[in-house]
Amino acid sequence: IKRFFESLSGAGKSIAVLTSGGDAQGMNAAVRAVVRMGIYVGAKVYFIREGYQGMVDGGEENIKEASWESVSSMLQMGGTVIGSARCKEFRSHEGRLKAAHNLVQRGITNLCVIGGDGSLTGANLFREEWSGLLEELVQQGLIDEDAVQKYSALHIVGMVGSIDNDFCGTDMTIGTDSALHRIIEVVDAIMTTAQSHQRTFVLEVMGRHCGYLALVSALACGADWVLIPEMPPEDGWEEKMCQKLSATRSRGSRLNIIIVAEGAIDRHGKAITGSVVKDLVVRCLGFDTRVTILGHVQRGGTPSAFDRILASRMGVEAVIALLETTANTPACVVSLCGNQAVRLPLMECVQMTQEVQKAMDEKKFEEAVKLRGRYSHVTNHCSGFVQLQPQPQPPTHNFNIAVLNVGAPAAGMNAAVRSAVRVGISEGHKMFAVNDGFEGFYKGQIKEIKWADVGGWTGQGGSLLGTKRTLPAKHVEKIAEQMRAHNINALLVIGGFEAYLGLMELLEARGKYDEFCVPMVMVPATVSNNVPGSDLSIGADTALNAITDTCDRIKQSASGTKRRVFIIETMGGYCGYLASVGGLAAGADAAYIYEEPFDIRDLQSNVEHLTEKMKGAIQRGLVLRNENSNENYTTDFIYQLYSEEGRGVFDCRKNVLGHMQQGGAPSPFDRNFGTKISAKAMLWLTKKMNETFRQGRVFANTEDTCCLLGMRRRALVFQPVVQLKDETDFVHRIPKEQWWLKLRPLMKILAKYKTSYDVSDSGQLEHVVRNIQPKESDPSGAM
């Protein structure tokens, strides 16, 4: 079912947006999306400043109509520009009565609330009391009966803005990814000084009731120990932790990192602070130890690409939900599940969140983890962290597994290799590293890789193993010899489209060489995000952040100058993912890609559209072009066209971002995604080797033993590469169907183009109890 926005008329409706509770990066992107989407469908949209306090106080300054231009340049700003405040008055009946009067005076009956569970609970109570409040206002003579009839129902849609990721019902809350960026930036910086001085650093991060930030940052930086409120350590943890730190040093490491959530407690409810941990380490081990409390720096700074995209999608979905709601529709919250936006009943999510806290208060920690794990994946992350710690006596399977990188380097590859090596060793296997991809394989560049060899790899960009684009078909005989010489029982290939092609060639070679009759699995890693069978690839998020950061700086360079349009060329081959999703994150006016053919009429229309915008209050324009979007309409051509047609209104500049999109330290998302997906691949290889072990050897020759592990909508799925052939455009090296194309209309709508948007995936209110995360779910959330 395809519904066009023309049928979602907001004419005559008024929508108000407010941010409440603690601020979170990305809130401004959500506000911008609500305002622009609301105006787009013909509704009046209002800012409510200072959260519920502004709603109670009323007045023109606190409840102000928003214009399209009033949300320009908000996308890259941290915090919330419309303000947020705690409001005791709104908690009282009298305060809510004042708030209702202020809304009715402006005809507002649709509220979009961006905040935590407390803010959303308050909004739902307000909605439930609405008719009674209106009756009271009539009795007091403040409104008449006509107003009661006209504004009889209040509609509420929530979006969760919280850096803690502590709300049940969504994989990721707005602000969480940006907070992880702040934490990882600090940890990366601290690790260099810790290594110089052979120090132990204890980092205390936010998370009074939820350990998500601590746990994920511990995974992303390779910390030695982590303490979170949901899983207090067993009695005697002090001795175990010190033994672990001492063992790490004895293996040659010059530093230790311990991450503590601010709400961490022991089994008896006693607080475990950074200072407590430091004193313990100094007393028991005598290590030079420092404590760093990150504090509110985690809430600050510019939002990450992920949070901008998440918030923009949520904001648009929230407006659609408000337009579709009826008097009988329960208040809903817009959530993320996998890479899909879903709607859930607000109070079901709040009740689940409160159940988690109740279980923790009653010291039922296993129950709390189970409840929390459905949505913020605490269970999966904890098991992942445990798998990456040295095992006292790992099981022995006597299998040999080779891991290699193939194709172009992508940030997060090293995290994936580290995870594979350590999980493999934990499972009792012998791990072999292949340098320089298939080229190194046939040349014999293979050696055993041990636990300590991959220490510190999570934060390293590029490919420390080395990677080449060479395909194996011409060298299968020599590769088979190396497989035989090293008795390789399974292969893990980490890479992009070349890795996909290479795996298919090895599968073909099974008929001639028994050495390839072993389980083989590929993990997608490429900035282009063009691998069939997976919605996301390791490295794409880091590239998106590089594009977004650069676009922010480029736009800022025009601050205070005359009106200017920037033409930016991105990487991606024939895949327009980076240009499209990067354009959404950076607030682009247009993004030209191969998948959506364009001609001179489209270019002219875009120029005219920008010219009209530039005649108003808009000062800057941004146009992205994928490198292979069109062989004739090159970046130079588009630059010259815009320069000529915009003469007298705006001038132009062009930038080719180039290989900076492939470089840099991996983002928290890519570190975490690489770590978890690679660990899952290793466990699958272990299972397949055990299943196919016959008469003293592994022999796997079925299609389902040569797979690609990819993210599909809401789940991680192992797919035989043979079955992916029909989904692949081999000429242009892209999948035939790409989910992110549905996001392109969002960018156009938020840039004021008239277009249609397929909302067939949304509109159905799901239930929390039915929305239990599948076993194969991705741990990271998605774009």
Side-chain angles (χ1 to χ4, degrees):
I1 300 170
K2 200 167 190 177
R3 293 165 300 191
F4 295 99
F5 282 127
E6 284 79 359
S7 66
L8 290 172
S9 175
K13 294 189 177 182
S14 294
I15 298 171
V17 57
L18 67 116
T19 53
S20 178
D23 65 310
Q25 308 96 317
M27 279 184 166
N28 290 324
V31 170
R32 171 181 176 266
V34 170
V35 169
R36 292 195 167 178
M37 184 63 193
I39 293 172
Y40 186 87
V41 297
K44 269 189 174 182
V45 186
Y46 292 85
F47 292 134
I48 298 180
R49 299 188 183 278
E50 310 305 333
Y52 288 118
Q53 190 66 57
M55 194 191 297
V56 172
D57 293 342
E60 289 297 324
E61 285 304 309
N62 288 317
I63 305 178
K64 187 173 183 178
E65 188 173 354
S67 66
W68 192 276
E69 291 75 20
S70 64
V71 292
S72 293
S73 303
M74 280 178 62
L75 197 57
Q76 68 271 25
M77 297 176 69
T80 165
V81 298
I82 61 174
S84 182
R86 313 281 180 187
C87 180
K88 288 184 179 179
E89 202 171 350
F90 188 76
R91 297 176 186 175
S92 69
H93 184 79
E94 292 75 17
R96 292 192 290 277
L97 191 66
K98 288 181 186 177
H101 185 218
N102 289 327
L103 294 187
V104 169
Q105 282 182 313
R106 292 162 181 80
I108 298 170
T109 56
N110 296 281
L111 269 185
C112 182
V113 181
I114 308 166
D117 63 323
S119 303
L120 299 181
T121 302
N124 190 65
L125 176 62
F126 190 39
R127 170 184 170 275
E128 290 174 345
E129 291 182 348
W130 182 256
S131 58
L133 294 171
L134 294 193
E135 290 296 335
E136 284 189 54
L137 292 173
V138 170
Q139 292 168 12
Q140 294 178 17
L142 296 174
I143 62 173
D144 56 27
E145 288 290 349
D146 288 343
V148 175
Q149 295 299 318
K150 191 174 181 181
Y151 308 120
S152 59
L154 178 68
H155 305 299
I156 301 285
V157 172
M159 284 184 280
V160 189
S162 167
I163 68 166
D164 291 339
N165 202 28
D166 57 354
F167 191 81
C168 290
T170 185
D171 288 352
M172 290 285 273
T173 56
I174 296 168
T176 303
D177 187 68
S178 299
L180 284 172
H181 273 256
R182 300 294 93 78
I183 294 168
I184 294 304
E185 286 165 11
V186 172
V187 174
D188 284 353
I190 278 177
M191 287 178 82
T192 58
T193 184
Q195 194 152 17
S196 299
H197 295 277
Q198 297 193 61
R199 281 182 178 147
T200 295
F201 266 90
V202 182
L203 278 84
E204 194 172 301
V205 302
M206 283 186 167
R208 190 171 295 120
H209 304 295
C210 180
Y212 185 88
L213 289 178
L215 194 50
V216 175
S217 57
L219 271 173
C221 72
D224 296 286
W225 203 265
V226 63
L227 294 155
I228 62 172
E230 293 94 335
M231 294 186 73
E234 299 287 347
D235 290 347
W237 66 272
E238 298 92 340
E239 184 180 348
K240 290 179 182 177
M241 185 187 75
C242 289
Q243 287 174 352
K244 168 69 169 61
L245 300 181
S246 183
T248 301
R249 289 291 180 94
S250 67
R251 286 193 297 270
S253 176
R254 292 175 56 87
L255 76 158
N256 298 113
I257 299 291
I258 302 165
I259 296 185
V260 183
E262 62 178 327
I265 54 174
D266 64 18
R267 288 273 161 179
H268 308 289
K270 183 180 177 183
I272 303 175
T273 65
S275 297
V276 167
V277 175
K278 175 197 168 182
D279 293 343
L280 173 66
V281 174
V282 171
R283 184 175 69 253
C284 296
L285 299 174
F287 290 172
D288 185 2
T289 307
R290 299 287 189 275
V291 177
T292 299
I293 300 174
L294 298 191
H296 284 76
V297 71
Q298 294 159 88
R299 289 191 188 276
T302 187
S304 67
F306 183 101
D307 274 328
R308 298 184 199 196
I309 297 158
L310 173 65
S312 297
R313 292 179 68 185
M314 299 299 99
V316 168
E317 181 70 22
V319 172
I320 297 171
L322 284 172
L323 295 180
E324 292 182 339
T325 194
T326 66
N328 298 322
T329 306
C332 75
V333 61
V334 180
S335 302
L336 180 76
C337 187
N339 63 11
Q340 284 188 286
V342 297
R343 299 179 201 170
L344 299 170
L346 188 153
M347 289 314 296
E348 285 187 19
C349 297
V350 169
Q351 286 161 8
M352 179 73 81
T353 304
Q354 291 172 347
E355 283 179 31
V356 173
Q357 188 56 51
K358 182 183 176 185
M360 290 171 62
D361 292 341
E362 294 174 354
K363 295 185 172 58
K364 297 177 180 177
F365 299 112
E366 289 76 10
E367 184 180 334
V369 169
K370 187 178 178 182
L371 289 167
R372 178 89 81 198
R374 291 178 179 178
Y375 299 103
S376 63
H377 312 286
V378 169
T379 306
N380 289 336
H381 283 108
C382 283
S383 62
F385 186 79
V386 170
Q387 283 173 338
L388 297 173
Q389 302 305 308
Q391 305 299 311
Q393 290 182 325
T396 302
H397 297 298
N398 297 318
F399 290 135
N400 295 346
I401 302 176
V403 57
L404 64 157
N405 294 336
V406 177
M413 276 184 164
N414 296 322
V417 172
R418 170 186 176 269
S419 176
V421 169
R422 294 198 166 179
V423 171
I425 293 171
S426 294
E427 289 291 304
H429 308 311
K430 187 179 285 188
M431 298 299 299
F432 288 84
V434 182
N435 295 115
D436 296 336
F438 288 117
E439 185 174 314
F441 213 149
Y442 82 80
K443 290 180 178 178
Q445 295 172 209
I446 306 169
K447 63 177 181 179
E448 186 179 353
I449 186 166
K450 298 189 176 179
W451 190 280
D453 296 334
V454 292
W457 278 35
T458 50
Q460 298 290 317
S463 168
L464 293 173
L465 284 186
T467 181
K468 294 285 179 70
R469 295 182 183 272
T470 307
L471 293 175
K474 295 179 180 178
H475 312 286
V476 287
E477 185 176 351
K478 290 183 178 179
I479 294 174
E481 287 177 9
Q482 295 297 331
M483 294 273 288
R484 187 166 56 252
H486 293 88
N487 190 27
I488 301 299
N489 306 120
L491 278 181
L492 172 62
V493 183
I494 301 167
F497 205 86
E498 286 88 359
Y500 168 62
L501 295 175
L503 211 58
M504 286 198 292
E505 290 180 0
L506 293 183
L507 182 64
E508 285 288 318
R510 278 181 172 178
K512 193 173 180 181
Y513 300 96
D514 283 354
E515 287 79 5
F516 299 119
C517 292
V518 296
M520 296 184 280
V521 66
M522 174 193 162
V523 169
T526 168
V527 300
S528 301
N529 197 34
N530 63 333
V531 177
S534 188
D535 293 347
L536 286 177
S537 299
I538 299 165
D541 184 69
T542 304
L544 278 178
N545 279 286
I547 292 167
T548 305
D549 292 345
T550 306
C551 287
D552 286 350
R553 295 184 186 192
I554 287 171
K555 287 197 293 184
Q556 194 176 52
S557 73
S559 180
T561 67
K562 59 183 179 179
R563 291 174 171 84
R564 181 165 288 170
V565 173
F566 295 95
I567 315 296
I568 312 290
E569 182 183 299
T570 66
M571 294 177 84
Y574 285 95
C575 181
Y577 177 81
L578 291 180
S580 297
V581 182
L584 180 59
D589 295 278
Y592 300 119
I593 62 171
Y594 166 78
E595 292 92 340
E596 195 172 282
F598 59 96
D599 57 25
I600 195 67
R601 290 180 294 275
D602 297 311
L603 293 172
Q604 184 63 33
S605 174
N606 294 154
V607 173
E608 290 170 358
H609 182 83
L610 262 173
T611 302
E612 282 302 308
K613 284 177 68 175
M614 289 289 183
K615 288 177 180 176
I618 304 296
Q619 297 288 320
R620 286 157 286 178
L622 184 66
V623 175
L624 272 62
R625 177 189 174 273
N626 169 244
E627 58 184 349
N628 289 344
S629 56
N630 189 293
E631 61 181 347
N632 294 314
Y633 299 134
T634 63
T635 302
D636 284 335
F637 177 90
I638 293 173
Y639 162 69
Q640 290 165 5
L641 176 69
Y642 273 74
S643 297
E644 180 62 30
E645 297 298 321
R647 187 172 293 175
V649 180
F650 59 80
D651 66 1
C652 272
R653 295 289 186 273
K654 68 173 180 178
N655 293 82
V656 178
L657 300 187
H659 284 80
M660 62 167 290
Q661 296 159 86
Q662 281 186 322
S667 68
F669 184 97
D670 279 330
R671 297 183 195 199
N672 187 32
F673 186 46
T675 298
K676 299 299 286 186
I677 195 172
S678 192
K680 185 173 282 290
M682 289 301 300
L683 296 177
W684 180 86
L685 287 176
T686 299
K687 179 184 175 186
K688 289 297 178 184
M689 285 187 293
N690 285 324
E691 288 176 353
T692 58
F693 187 75
R694 298 286 185 277
Q695 297 177 343
R697 60 162 294 187
V698 172
F699 188 82
N701 63 349
T702 56
E703 289 181 358
D704 65 350
T705 57
C706 182
C707 287
L708 181 146
L709 174 56
M711 183 181 187
R712 290 290 189 121
R713 293 165 72 89
R714 303 188 188 187
L716 282 173
V717 184
F718 289 94
Q719 304 146 97
V721 291
V722 171
Q723 296 177 13
L724 296 174
K725 283 185 178 180
D726 292 340
E727 300 180 23
T728 308
D729 175 350
F730 287 98
V731 175
H732 298 100
R733 298 159 59 89
I734 55 175
K736 291 178 181 177
E737 300 287 335
Q738 301 188 87
W739 70 274
W740 52 265
L741 287 168
K742 290 185 179 182
L743 300 184
R744 282 184 60 78
L746 286 189
M747 184 188 68
K748 294 178 182 178
I749 288 166
L750 298 177
K752 217 173 183 177
Y753 286 92
K754 286 292 178 186
T755 188
S756 60
Y757 177 46
D758 183 356
V759 290
S760 56
D761 281 344
S762 62
Q764 299 299 315
L765 195 66
E766 300 185 13
H767 291 279
V768 177
V769 290
R770 294 177 188 166
N771 192 39
I772 297 173
Q773 206 67 24
K775 290 181 180 178
E776 299 294 331
S777 170
D778 169 51
S780 312
M783 246 151 270

